[in-house]
Amino acid sequence: MTSVNLRQQKLEQQRQIMEQKMRLKRQTPGMVQASDVRTSSAKSRTIHRELHGYDGPLQFTMSPGNPDGVTELRSAANDSDEEVGDVCEVKQMDPEELEDEESTPVAPPTPDAHLESTVVPYTDTQNAITNSSNPELEGDVVGSLETFVMEPACQRMHYKCRITRDRKGMDRGLYPTYFLHLERDYGKKVFLLAGRKRKKSTTSNYLISTDPTDLSRGGEAFVGKLRSNLLGTHFTVYDNGRAPGSRSDAKDERTTPRQELAAVIYETNVLGFKGPRKMTVILPGMTQDQQRVQICPQDESETLLECYKTKNMDNLIELHNKTPVWNDDTQSYVLNFHGRVTQASVKNFQIVHDSDVEYVVMQFGRVAEDVFTMDYRYPMCALQAFAIALSSFDSKLACE
């Protein structure tokens, strides 16, 4: 027992040291800082080349007793000001940043700054995503949870979710647990999914479950997983079906073949440019009755990643992250998250189709240290969107 207690004390000390370093870095000119919009014009002209984003207040409030609730972002000085959006700044980052850090290094703006700058949020009410003549409804859980997380979102429905990251515990500093909740009116929430990276795995491998207390592969609530390549640039999302070529096991009740639900490709950063990640998302196509085409590869040549590489895109949907717009006033590239994202981060992104970049299929962004919003629309399902968000958390050696 003495050795076990000593090991726990050492792990707890290491976690505290890591958190202390992260807090100190955020207080230095090299990390994320939040300030009021009134000071943005002066700060944007400093030698640090800060990035600013204008966004509205948080649309989700939690009860005070909720352990994974959204933390208050506004300062006492902001409370006395007019109702203006938050300003987020991103500056230089230490190259030895931890894999879960949410900041990004930024080089001075140049004519080629789109290769070097990150994405920060702002709000533009004149360019809303939804069509006022055909307003969207907020989605809700229909039927059993296991079925809901797998079914594509209903058309003209907008599902607003949030992800909380739990890094408390003996080993959660390295292997955090992520919880996905569907936001409801009056600060209420509905649990949807939980995910955690597997230990002792050659590549990043996240198990996803509808039971926050059972994140095992053999559990009854296991619904899917996310797996990456060695470099962390290619990710594949699977359901809970039986892998091709696997031997039948009496203990394994899975009889349906495993489906590939999505693939995520992050563009490699060979030249070392700093800035937003460029990502491509491949989804199975949809039938005329809004059902997902089943992709059950029997060999490597039939996988979503291989089909993308060979440009065999039959019955597949190719999506990309939305290109940010350069703002001359703030000297930064910005994206309109419509009040849903309040802090700048390299992980903030919006997924769109090239034919209609105003229809945001999915968006993800940071609102607090361990709280993120995640919204999705048709044709995605909750499992696909959550797995894509988990891929953004993972360390990417060839993209940083």
Side-chain angles (χ1 to χ4, degrees):
M1 293 297 295
T2 303
S3 60
V4 174
N5 293 335
L6 182 61
R7 179 173 178 268
Q8 291 179 349
Q9 292 177 2
K10 289 183 178 179
L11 289 173
E12 183 65 22
Q13 291 176 357
Q14 292 176 358
R15 185 182 68 81
Q16 293 177 357
I17 293 173
M18 291 168 61
E19 292 180 351
Q20 184 178 5
K21 288 183 178 180
M22 290 163 60
R23 285 195 297 268
L24 291 175
K25 288 180 181 179
R26 289 195 177 93
Q27 296 173 2
T28 64
M31 297 304 296
V32 176
Q33 302 288 340
S35 63
D36 192 86
V37 69
R38 296 177 181 272
T39 62
S40 62
S41 59
K43 290 187 177 182
S44 63
R45 297 185 180 93
T46 63
I47 60 175
H48 296 299
R49 300 296 185 183
E50 302 163 349
L51 300 184
H52 303 269
Y54 301 89
D55 209 343
L58 292 176
Q59 296 183 1
F60 186 88
T61 56
M62 295 300 302
S63 60
N66 188 1
D68 59 347
V70 178
T71 56
E72 183 65 34
L73 297 181
R74 299 185 62 179
S75 63
N78 290 342
D79 292 337
S80 62
D81 292 335
E82 299 177 358
E83 293 185 358
V84 294
D86 296 334
V87 176
C88 304
E89 307 167 5
V90 176
K91 305 177 186 177
Q92 295 295 327
M93 184 179 77
D94 192 336
E96 299 178 354
E97 193 52 60
L98 299 174
E99 74 175 56
D100 280 329
E101 196 59 81
E102 301 305 325
S103 305
T104 180
V106 177
T110 65
D112 294 330
H114 65 282
L115 298 174
E116 304 177 8
S117 58
T118 189
V119 179
V120 291
Y122 83 102
T123 297
D124 179 10
T125 57
Q126 297 180 352
N127 189 25
I129 297 177
T130 58
N131 188 348
S132 59
S133 61
N134 189 16
E136 289 182 322
L137 300 176
E138 290 193 10
D140 200 353
V141 178
V142 178
S144 66
L145 181 59
E146 292 76 9
T147 303
F148 171 77
V149 298
M150 297 293 297
E151 289 184 345
C154 298
Q155 292 184 334
R156 293 180 294 279
M157 298 286 282
H158 184 194
Y159 295 83
K160 295 182 179 180
C161 307
R162 67 183 179 92
I163 296 175
T164 53
R165 177 174 53 189
D166 182 7
R167 292 191 285 191
K168 299 177 182 178
M170 191 168 61
D171 60 352
R172 289 186 178 179
L174 298 176
Y175 299 96
T177 302
Y178 302 90
F179 301 97
L180 176 69
H181 291 83
L182 181 68
E183 296 179 359
R184 302 285 293 275
D185 295 335
Y186 309 109
K188 296 181 180 180
K189 61 177 182 178
V190 177
F191 170 80
L192 297 181
L193 293 166
R196 192 182 188 190
K197 182 187 289 189
R198 297 182 66 183
K199 304 175 186 178
K200 300 179 181 179
S201 182
T202 306
T203 61
S204 294
N205 200 324
Y206 291 81
L207 296 182
I208 303 175
S209 171
T210 56
D211 185 350
T213 64
D214 184 5
L215 288 169
S216 62
R217 182 180 178 86
E220 294 181 357
F222 171 66
V223 292
K225 72 173 185 176
L226 171 74
R227 188 176 66 189
S228 77
N229 62 350
L230 288 173
L231 294 178
T233 55
H234 295 170
F235 293 80
T236 303
V237 184
Y238 303 95
D239 70 355
N240 60 355
R242 181 170 47 84
S246 61
R247 296 181 180 179
S248 59
D249 190 347
K251 298 181 181 180
D252 192 351
E253 299 178 354
R254 295 173 295 172
T255 57
T256 58
R258 186 176 67 183
Q259 295 186 51
E260 290 192 1
L261 301 179
V264 187
I265 301 99
Y266 290 89
E267 183 174 313
T268 55
N269 190 0
V270 179
L271 299 180
F273 289 119
K274 306 298 183 181
R277 300 164 178 167
K278 295 182 179 180
M279 54 191 299
T280 300
V281 176
I282 307 299
L283 300 178
M286 304 298 293
T287 62
Q288 294 183 351
D289 55 350
Q290 286 78 51
Q291 296 299 313
R292 184 169 51 242
V293 175
Q294 293 190 3
I295 305 295
C296 304
Q298 297 302 312
D299 55 56
E300 187 67 23
S301 63
E302 299 177 355
T303 63
L304 291 176
L305 288 173
E306 193 62 28
C307 290
Y308 171 74
K309 293 177 183 179
T310 59
K311 303 303 179 183
N312 182 16
M313 300 299 291
D314 295 339
N315 294 323
L316 300 180
I317 302 173
E318 181 176 349
L319 306 172
H320 300 275
N321 63 316
K322 189 174 184 179
T323 304
V325 179
W326 176 256
N327 188 312
D328 289 328
D329 295 334
T330 61
Q331 294 293 292
S332 64
Y333 281 93
V334 296
L335 273 179
N336 186 4
F337 289 90
H338 307 280
R340 295 287 292 160
V341 177
T342 58
Q343 293 191 8
S345 171
V346 69
K347 296 175 174 60
N348 296 347
F349 64 83
Q350 291 179 328
I351 300 298
V352 298
H353 193 275
D354 292 342
S355 63
D356 185 5
V357 296
E358 296 305 317
Y359 181 79
V360 179
V361 179
M362 174 191 172
Q363 71 177 20
F364 172 81
R366 183 180 175 184
V367 296
E369 182 176 359
D370 290 310
V371 183
F372 308 82
T373 57
M374 187 205 80
D375 302 345
Y376 69 96
R377 293 182 172 91
Y378 177 86
M380 276 194 186
C381 69
L383 176 58
Q384 289 172 321
F386 184 49
I388 294 170
L390 289 178
S391 74
S392 179
F393 286 110
D394 199 67
S395 176
K396 300 163 184 63
L397 299 177
C399 298
E400 306 298 340

